[in-house]
Amino acid sequence: MPALPFMADLFAHDSQSTEGFLPAGVSYRPGLVDAATQTVLARAVADIAARAPFRHPRTPGRGAFSAAITNCGTVGWWSDQRGYRYVPAQPESALPWPEIPQAFRDTVARVMAGTPWPRFAPDACLINFYGPGAKMGLHQDRDERDFAQPIVTVSLGDTADFMVGGGVRSDKTQAFQFRSGDVLIMGGEGRMLFHGVRRVHEGTSPITGLQGRYSLTFRKAL
Ligand code: MN
C-alpha cells in the first residue's frame, strides 16, 4: 500500500474541504472537472450508449439494479445470476465494449497528476446512469485483480448523496453531496471501503441535455 501524505495537499485548495471528514485513502475533489469538459464527457457517454446500450443488470439474487449500466474499455463490469465479473463483450450482443474515449483518458490523466498513481491507466470504465429513484446499495469494488490500483469516479449531471463507510458493511457511513464535475479517488487504505449512492437529487444537473446522473468509474480491472 502506498503512503498517502498527499491527501492534505489535495484538500488544501478545495472550496468544500472534506479533510478530516472522509476516511484516509478517500480523496474527494469538488469541482475538478470544468463545465465545458463535463459537457464533452456527457456527449462521449451518449456516443458510448449508442453502441453499448444502458441495461439494468440482474443482481446475483432476485433483483435488478435501479441504476442502468454500460461500459467502455477492454472489459466491462457486469452482473447476472452467475455473479459479478468483468466481461470482454456486451452480454446481449456479443459485441466488444466501445474503447475508452480520449476525452476520458485526458480527464483521468489530469485528475491523477500529483497523486500516488500519476500513470494510472484504466482498462475499464463502468458508467452508471441514475434516473429518477435510482440508487446503489453499500458495496465494495472487489472484482478487479489488483487492489493496489485505485478506483476513480467522476460525477456528471444530478447531485448524488454519496455514502462512504468502513471496511465492513455494518460500519457507520458518512454522506456528502457528490456534484457534477466532482471527483472521488479511493486508493490505498481507502480502496476497499464500502460505499454507495443513497439518492440522487432530480433536476439538479447543470449539463444541458443531461437529466439524471452519470457516474464514470475508472478501473484497472485486469
Ligand atoms: Mn463501487
Side-chain angles (χ1 to χ4, degrees):
M1 294 266 188
L4 296 168
F6 75 106
M7 290 295 172
D9 290 333
L10 286 185
F11 292 131
H13 306 292
D14 291 337
S15 56
Q16 295 175 270
S17 175
T18 53
E19 188 178 3
F21 171 63
L22 290 172
V26 180
S27 173
Y28 170 60
R29 306 193 61 187
L32 201 60
V33 179
D34 64 45
T37 304
Q38 292 173 46
T39 299
V40 169
L41 298 179
R43 286 189 186 139
V45 171
D47 288 344
I48 289 163
R51 290 180 288 151
F54 279 104
R55 308 282 186 205
H56 294 273
R58 310 293 302 176
T59 61
R62 299 168 61 90
F65 287 90
S66 58
I69 286 172
T70 191
N71 292 272
C72 57
T74 309
V75 289
W77 187 89
W78 199 251
S79 168
D80 58 24
Q81 289 174 335
R82 289 169 48 204
Y84 303 146
R85 62 198 182 280
Y86 284 91
V87 294
Q90 301 177 45
E92 297 200 11
S93 66
L95 292 170
W97 300 104
E99 286 186 11
I100 297 177
Q102 191 59 43
F104 284 18
R105 293 201 178 279
D106 291 346
T107 294
V108 168
R110 211 161 54 239
V111 162
M112 300 309 281
T115 74
W117 311 275
R119 280 173 294 282
F120 175 57
D123 54 13
C125 177
L126 167 62
I127 305 169
N128 293 336
F129 174 71
Y130 294 80
K135 52 193 168 183
M136 186 68 70
L138 279 178
H139 66 278
Q140 294 170 298
D141 296 335
R142 56 182 315 142
D143 303 309
E144 301 73 31
R145 288 186 187 159
D146 181 4
F147 297 153
Q149 297 281 333
I151 303 267
V152 179
T153 303
V154 176
S155 193
L156 300 172
D158 282 347
T159 298
D161 290 347
F162 195 90
M163 302 175 283
V164 176
V168 294
R169 185 182 301 277
S170 56
D171 283 344
K172 187 167 72 67
T173 62
Q174 298 162 297
F176 65 96
Q177 292 212 319
F178 198 166
R179 296 190 177 86
S180 193
D182 297 350
V183 174
L184 187 73
I185 303 170
M186 296 178 71
E189 59 191 297
R191 172 62 178 77
M192 300 308 292
L193 299 181
F194 276 83
H195 58 280
V197 173
R198 181 186 292 156
R199 62 166 294 203
V200 168
H201 298 270
E202 252 185 281
T204 55
S205 171
I207 300 176
T208 303
L210 174 55
Q211 294 176 292
R213 172 179 186 254
Y214 293 140
S215 78
L216 316 182
T217 58
F218 294 96
R219 294 104 185 278
K220 180 82 175 70
L222 303 181

